[in-house]
Every structure is written in structure tokens, then in C-alpha cells.
């Protein structure tokens, strides 16, 4: 899978960071915070793009992958608290409390094209429940942004949830609902409910 991104290299004090963003943020995608869940609404293009960025996070352990979502179109029944998304490898040890300042220093960035694999690895579901398993996501919400921090393996194993929605969601428009549930986190992490939507704000049709 190939898609364009912008690469930013802002500094905080003596340290330089790498932030990768889609060159064109998805127009029909939304991430909403709920008490018990995190609800992601996506059309086919957005699902493929976010799945690609999820895979990019697996191969870019020194970068923060930022997906702006708060200004995208929204399904009519979405909640009111919208979030952006940042994906990062746990070894980066970036404090979410520093994100607002870093975000303000991104600048225009440099455009490039990246390639990620959409192959789906075999997942040992039983191993996910082992006490010694460290390939889990940790979540934090700060500065209107959901931070998903995890290992390369965790990102590789879960990118397929978005590709699944992109591949099969459009075929279920008669049922008005197709989703995937992403729960690969520690005990404090909320499930991310990824729902396909084929009609958005400004569309003639309704969901």
C-alpha cells in the first residue's frame, strides 16, 4: 500500500522529534470518546488510510504518527467530544503532556510517499492473555488527542481491523452496520469500536 505523508521535525528544547501525518487527512473519519468505548467512524478511504498509518507505526519506532480527525465530517449520531489520534512505539517514551506544545511547532513538513504491507500476521490469541505478554496498547487522552502506545507487534497485529472494515463495510450498506472491535490493550485501555459509515454530514443520504 502506497500513500503520501508529510514528515515534520519539530524541536522541544535540545531534542528533535519526528512526526508523520497523512498528506491529506481523511475527510470522512471521526474518533469520539465515550465513557466505556472509543468509537471510530470511517468510510472506505479513511479505513484504508488509517490502517496504513497503523501499519506505519509498526515500522517507525522513532516517530509519532499523527492522524488529525477532529475537523472531519461526522455521522449524524456521533457524540460531541472529538479526538485526534497519535500512534507511537513505547520505546519513544514521549509524554502526552508535551504534545500540545510539540503540535504547535510542526510547520509545513516535507512530503514523501511511504509503502506499508497490508499482509495480516498470524495472531496467537491465547498468548495475548498471558501475564507476561508485553505486546499491549496503553492509552492516554490529552490535548484532545488519543495516544495509543504499543509495540511494533501490537500495531502489526491490529492494523487489519481497519483493512477489514474497508474491504467488507461497503457490502453491508443494506444492514446499515459493519464494524470491527479492537481491544488489544492493558486493563485500563478502552475498546475501540470501528464502524463503517457510508453517509456523512453534507451527504444527501442518511446513515
Amino acid at each position: 500500500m502506497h500513500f503520501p505523508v508529510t514528515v515534520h521535525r519539530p524541536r522541544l528544547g535540545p531534542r528533535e522529534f519526528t512526526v508523520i501525518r497523512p498528506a491529506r487527512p481523511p475527510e470522512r473519519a471521526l474518533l469520539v470518546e465515550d465513557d466505556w468505548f472509543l468509537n471510530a467512524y470511517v468510510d472506505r478511504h479513511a479505513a484504508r488510510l488509517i490502517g496504513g498509518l497503523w501499519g506505519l507505526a509498526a515500522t517507525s519506532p522513532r516517530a509519532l504518527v499523527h492522524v488529525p480527525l477532529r475537523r472531519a465530517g461526522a455521522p449524524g449520531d456521533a457524540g460531541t467530544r472529538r479526538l485526534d489520534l497519535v500512534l507511537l512505539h513505547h520505546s519513544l517514551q514521549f509524554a502526552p503532556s508535551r504534545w500540545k506544545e510539540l503540535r504547535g511547532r510542526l510547520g509545513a513538513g516535507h512530503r514523501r510517499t511511504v509503502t506499508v504491507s497490508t499482509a495480516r500476521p498470524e495472531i496467537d490469541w491465547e498468548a495475548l492473555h498471558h501475564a507476561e505478554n508485553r505486546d499491549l496498547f496503553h492509552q492516554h487522552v490529552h490535548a484532545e488527542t488519543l495516544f495509543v502506545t504499543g509495540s511494533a507487534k501490537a500495531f502489526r497485529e491490529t492494523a487489519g481491523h481497519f483493512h477489514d472494515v474497508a474491504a467488507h463495510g461497503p457490502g453491508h450498506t443494506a444492514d446499515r452496520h459493519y464494524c470491527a472491535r479492537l481491544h488489544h490493550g492493558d486493563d485500563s485501555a478502552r475498546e475501540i469500536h470501528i464502524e463503517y459509515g457510508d453517509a456523512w454530514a453534507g451527504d444527501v443520504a442518511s446513515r
Side-chain angles (χ1 to χ4, degrees):
M1 177 182 179
H2 311 275
F3 56 95
V5 299
T6 55
V7 180
H8 310 257
R9 300 195 185 279
R11 301 188 71 89
L12 283 181
R15 185 176 179 185
E16 181 181 79
F17 293 88
T18 299
V19 179
I20 304 174
R21 309 168 87 181
R24 183 177 180 180
E27 295 180 356
R28 296 182 174 186
L30 182 69
L31 180 61
V32 176
E33 184 178 26
D34 200 329
D35 289 338
W36 302 104
F37 301 97
L38 292 156
N39 295 305
Y41 301 92
V42 290
D43 72 353
R44 184 175 189 177
H45 170 75
R48 292 188 73 247
L49 178 59
I50 296 174
L53 292 164
W54 211 270
L56 182 63
T59 60
S60 306
R62 306 310 302 166
L64 293 89
V65 179
H66 175 217
V67 193
L69 296 172
R70 285 181 291 144
R71 293 179 176 85
D77 62 352
T80 56
R81 188 176 187 193
R82 304 182 182 189
L83 300 174
D84 284 343
L85 177 65
V86 168
L87 312 171
L88 65 155
H89 195 272
H90 54 69
S91 64
L92 195 59
Q93 296 184 328
F94 178 81
S97 60
R98 307 189 72 191
W99 171 243
K100 188 174 183 179
E101 183 181 4
L102 187 69
R103 183 176 60 195
R105 300 185 180 193
L106 292 182
H110 301 282
R111 186 160 174 156
R112 57 174 291 192
T113 298
V114 296
T115 302
V116 297
S117 173
T118 57
R120 302 186 184 187
E122 291 292 331
I123 301 175
D124 186 346
W125 297 105
E126 184 177 347
L128 292 178
H129 302 288
H130 291 173
E132 64 272 16
N133 179 36
R134 295 294 180 267
D135 295 305
L136 297 172
F137 288 131
H138 304 277
Q139 297 175 355
H140 301 277
V141 175
H142 189 81
E144 299 176 293
T145 303
L146 170 67
F147 290 82
V148 178
T149 305
S151 67
K153 181 180 178 183
F155 283 114
R156 279 197 306 269
E157 291 184 343
T158 52
H161 287 75
F162 292 94
H163 296 304
D164 177 67
V165 170
H168 301 292
H172 287 71
T173 53
D175 299 332
R176 295 295 176 188
H177 187 91
Y178 188 87
C179 68
R181 298 182 179 275
L182 194 165
H183 188 69
H184 211 79
D186 61 12
D187 291 340
S188 65
R190 287 173 288 180
E191 178 179 280
I192 301 177
H193 172 244
I194 309 162
E195 181 178 340
Y196 173 78
D198 62 351
W200 294 73
D203 289 347
V204 175
S206 61
R207 288 177 69 254

